[in-house]
Amino acid sequence: MAELAHLVEASTAVGATRSRLEKVERIAEVLRRLAPQEVTAGVAFLSGELTQRQIGVGWAALRDLPPPAPEPSLSVGEVDDAFERIGQIAGPGSQAARREALAALFARATEPEAQFLMRLLGGELRQGALEGVMVQALARAAEAAPAEVQRAFMLRGDLAAVAAAVLRDGPAALERFRLEVGRPVRPMLARPAKDVGDAMERLGEAAIEWKLDGARVQIHRDGEDVRVFTRTLDDVTARVPELVAAAQALPARALVLDGEAIALRPDGRPEPFQVTASRFARRQRRDVPLALFAFDALHADGEDLLDRPGAERAAFLDELVPAAQRTPRAVVADAPAAGEFLADAIAQGHEGVMLKALDQPYAAGSRGKGWLKVKPVHTLDLVVLAAEWGHGRRRGWLSNLHLGARDPAGDGFVMLGKTFKGLTDEMLTWQTEKLLQLEDSRDAYTVHVRPELVVEIAFDGVQTSSRYPGGVALRFARVLRHRPDKPAAEADTLETVLAARR
């Protein structure tokens, strides 16, 4: 059994280095140490996750823990077993029982191990072992080709399962991972393009489709059995009966479709994203029907289509799915034609277009070069109200920015949300120095600043939110640039933000 201490040491080293090569080597070294029955837990822990996903433990349960042990004695397997037992505690007195079980576990943990476990349970373990690094490390540990590990991962959707097979049985085990109807594959993602001209220059003649602001769904049908999965591979079949019925009505016994589910207004225009998203919540609104817009076919009656060119997959989709349930699509050969299609998509209330190569396969689980997205960029000039210290490779920098718009009713600012996206190392260095000069107060994680620094923020939309004082929040906010040339008095107001809401 592998010592937890070795995994913790590797995690700490990964978080302290910016070298991808060093991250890969340290993780590969730990993977080689794991016993076969520990691989699943080891991969999950290094990825900042639990094998159980949730065990009913929050920050409150992590208070008043016993002092750390002087010497390490825990193994990875023992920790995972303890988490499993804790997660199964239920009924009267369960809260006290969980605390007791946690105390017993932490009594055997050294100080570094205890800190690691607390961050793991609190969802704060961000040490830089992202999927790409984990795939490379697994390939190194198993002496397998990274591309073959990546493909197995995209088809299985579970890196821990792939790791368990390849570390036990060697690279030949990767050949066993194939598309299975009923088991979701990781969705193909798109890369951004500046505009349709840029996209056409990169792709040549291409398919163009509406880009819908809905919920990504993957639909699997085997006979009358239908399962619907989200972008994160969660099974939401019971929450979307209309999508199940739509799949059952299609002329195929077995199929896998990729697409979007979206709530539409009576006039056919899309509802705000939150309305669609409410249908996927645990307490979903049954009075909001979802429409299916399929845009790809991955399997049809025993034939896997992942490696077929985009044009051939589109032909299968046209045969399987009626036009009313397919994303509007055309083939364009030049930028003017693509521009007209984009203008129509925007006029219909959608967020942009997707341009797709006609000759590329479905690159599941990655941002394939064959899909490009074009969306009009919305920007706002907002004021930084505070910033949180970064984790992992951003340790030592002020990273996550608290953003505010001017309050039109006074001299203050209304917080709209946070973002750490879009910041380069150079920008992080500059803003850390600048914000420390503006520091007003701080706590353990956050530096509150005088509202003077303006940043230009790009975003995809504005949605209602009870989380922030302004009642709205920005979707997918990212920093374009700092605006030290612009005074806070010229930042955008909350009224301007509200005007951007659909």
Side-chain angles (χ1 to χ4, degrees), residues 77-90:
E78 286 176 317
V79 173
D80 188 50
D81 289 343
F83 287 162
E84 185 68 28
R85 290 192 298 271
I86 292 169
Q88 292 177 353
I89 295 173

Side-chain angles (χ1 to χ4, degrees), residues 255-298:
L255 57 80
V256 178
L257 301 176
D258 194 1
E260 293 269 337
I262 189 168
L264 300 176
R265 296 171 179 169
D267 62 0
R269 295 175 66 83
E271 293 279 11
F273 174 77
Q274 283 178 293
V275 177
T276 294
S278 71
R279 280 297 310 275
F280 292 84
R282 292 187 182 277
R283 297 179 179 178
Q284 68 271 32
R285 292 172 53 187
R286 291 286 186 179
D287 61 327
V288 179
L290 293 175
L292 170 64
F293 286 90
F295 54 67
D296 217 321
L298 312 186

Side-chain angles (χ1 to χ4, degrees), residues 211-478:
K211 187 178 189 312
L212 307 177
D213 192 17
R216 186 83 174 263
V217 291
Q218 191 177 121
I219 299 177
H220 291 238
R221 176 182 171 185
D222 185 4
E224 291 304 302
D225 182 29
V226 174
R227 299 179 70 186
V228 182
F229 302 93
T230 65
R231 179 191 181 110
T232 54
L233 311 188
D234 293 315
D235 190 332
V236 292
T237 306
R239 305 178 195 177
V240 288
E242 63 267 65
L243 301 186
V244 173
Q248 290 173 334
L250 298 178
R253 176 167 181 78
L255 57 80
V256 178
L257 301 176
D258 194 1
E260 293 269 337
I262 189 168
L264 300 176
R265 296 171 179 169
D267 62 0
R269 295 175 66 83
E271 293 279 11
F273 174 77
Q274 283 178 293
V275 177
T276 294
S278 71
R279 280 297 310 275
F280 292 84
R282 292 187 182 277
R283 297 179 179 178
Q284 68 271 32
R285 292 172 53 187
R286 291 286 186 179
D287 61 327
V288 179
L290 293 175
L292 170 64
F293 286 90
F295 54 67
D296 217 321
L298 312 186
H299 180 93
D301 284 333
E303 188 169 359
D304 289 346
L305 307 176
L306 288 170
D307 295 324
R308 294 289 193 94
E312 292 187 24
R313 299 199 310 276
F316 273 92
L317 186 69
D318 289 349
E319 290 184 9
L320 289 169
V321 183
Q325 295 175 328
R326 298 195 308 265
T327 304
R329 176 181 182 274
V331 175
V332 292
D334 54 47
E340 291 181 9
F341 195 96
L342 171 61
D344 179 62
I346 298 299
Q348 298 293 330
H350 301 292
E351 63 176 5
V353 293
M354 298 283 295
L355 288 104
K356 300 180 177 180
L358 300 174
D359 60 351
Q360 293 292 315
Y362 187 93
S366 65
R367 295 191 183 276
K369 63 181 180 181
W371 285 13
L372 300 175
K373 56 185 176 182
V374 177
K375 298 187 293 184
V377 178
H378 305 287
T379 65
L380 289 168
D381 288 329
L382 301 176
V383 176
V384 178
L385 306 179
E388 299 170 8
W389 290 107
H391 299 270
R393 66 178 303 275
R394 290 191 174 190
R395 186 179 299 276
W397 282 325
L398 287 171
S399 175
N400 201 17
L401 301 178
H402 296 205
L403 304 171
R406 283 194 296 123
D407 183 352
D411 297 328
F413 295 88
V414 181
M415 187 174 175
L416 300 174
K418 308 176 185 180
T419 188
F420 55 84
K421 297 181 179 179
L423 293 164
T424 64
D425 288 359
E426 182 179 3
M427 294 169 74
L428 285 163
T429 301
W430 184 90
Q431 78 177 23
T432 299
E433 180 179 355
K434 179 66 176 177
L435 292 174
L436 288 176
Q437 294 172 3
L438 300 175
E439 180 178 350
D440 186 51
S441 64
R442 69 168 67 189
D443 55 32
Y445 304 104
T446 307
V447 174
H448 300 271
V449 300
R450 300 192 301 275
E452 297 178 15
L453 177 62
V454 176
V455 288
E456 185 177 1
I457 300 295
F459 62 100
D460 289 0
V462 177
Q463 63 186 36
T464 302
S465 173
S466 59
R467 184 175 183 179
Y468 299 112
V472 294
L474 305 181
R475 293 193 64 226
F476 302 116
R478 60 267 187 202

Side-chain angles (χ1 to χ4, degrees), residues 63-252:
R63 299 172 184 162
D64 303 322
L65 293 171
E71 300 291 337
S73 65
L74 287 168
S75 70
V76 172
E78 286 176 317
V79 173
D80 188 50
D81 289 343
F83 287 162
E84 185 68 28
R85 290 192 298 271
I86 292 169
Q88 292 177 353
I89 295 173
S94 59
Q95 187 173 1
R98 285 197 192 98
R99 286 182 182 274
E100 184 177 346
L102 278 172
L105 174 64
F106 275 82
R108 295 183 56 196
T110 63
E111 177 65 26
E113 291 171 338
Q115 291 298 320
F116 176 89
L117 294 177
M118 288 180 67
R119 293 170 60 202
L120 180 63
L121 289 167
E124 294 294 327
L125 189 64
R126 292 175 283 182
Q127 76 274 12
L130 302 178
E131 287 177 356
V133 172
M134 291 296 296
V135 166
Q136 292 286 330
L138 179 56
R140 179 77 61 88
E143 298 182 354
E148 294 179 2
V149 175
Q150 175 66 33
R151 182 174 176 83
F153 175 36
M154 75 182 190
L155 292 174
R156 182 65 172 81
D158 182 347
L159 188 58
V162 175
V166 73
L167 291 174
R168 182 184 63 240
D169 300 329
L174 298 173
E175 298 178 5
R176 300 201 296 263
F177 292 93
R178 302 180 181 278
L179 187 150
E180 300 176 39
V181 177
R183 184 186 299 279
V185 302
R186 299 178 64 79
M188 182 173 178
L189 304 175
R191 299 181 181 182
K194 295 179 182 178
D195 50 39
V196 291
D198 174 43
M200 294 301 299
E201 184 175 341
R202 290 155 67 177
L203 296 179
E205 185 179 46
I208 187 169
E209 302 170 356
W210 286 358
K211 187 178 189 312
L212 307 177
D213 192 17
R216 186 83 174 263
V217 291
Q218 191 177 121
I219 299 177
H220 291 238
R221 176 182 171 185
D222 185 4
E224 291 304 302
D225 182 29
V226 174
R227 299 179 70 186
V228 182
F229 302 93
T230 65
R231 179 191 181 110
T232 54
L233 311 188
D234 293 315
D235 190 332
V236 292
T237 306
R239 305 178 195 177
V240 288
E242 63 267 65
L243 301 186
V244 173
Q248 290 173 334
L250 298 178

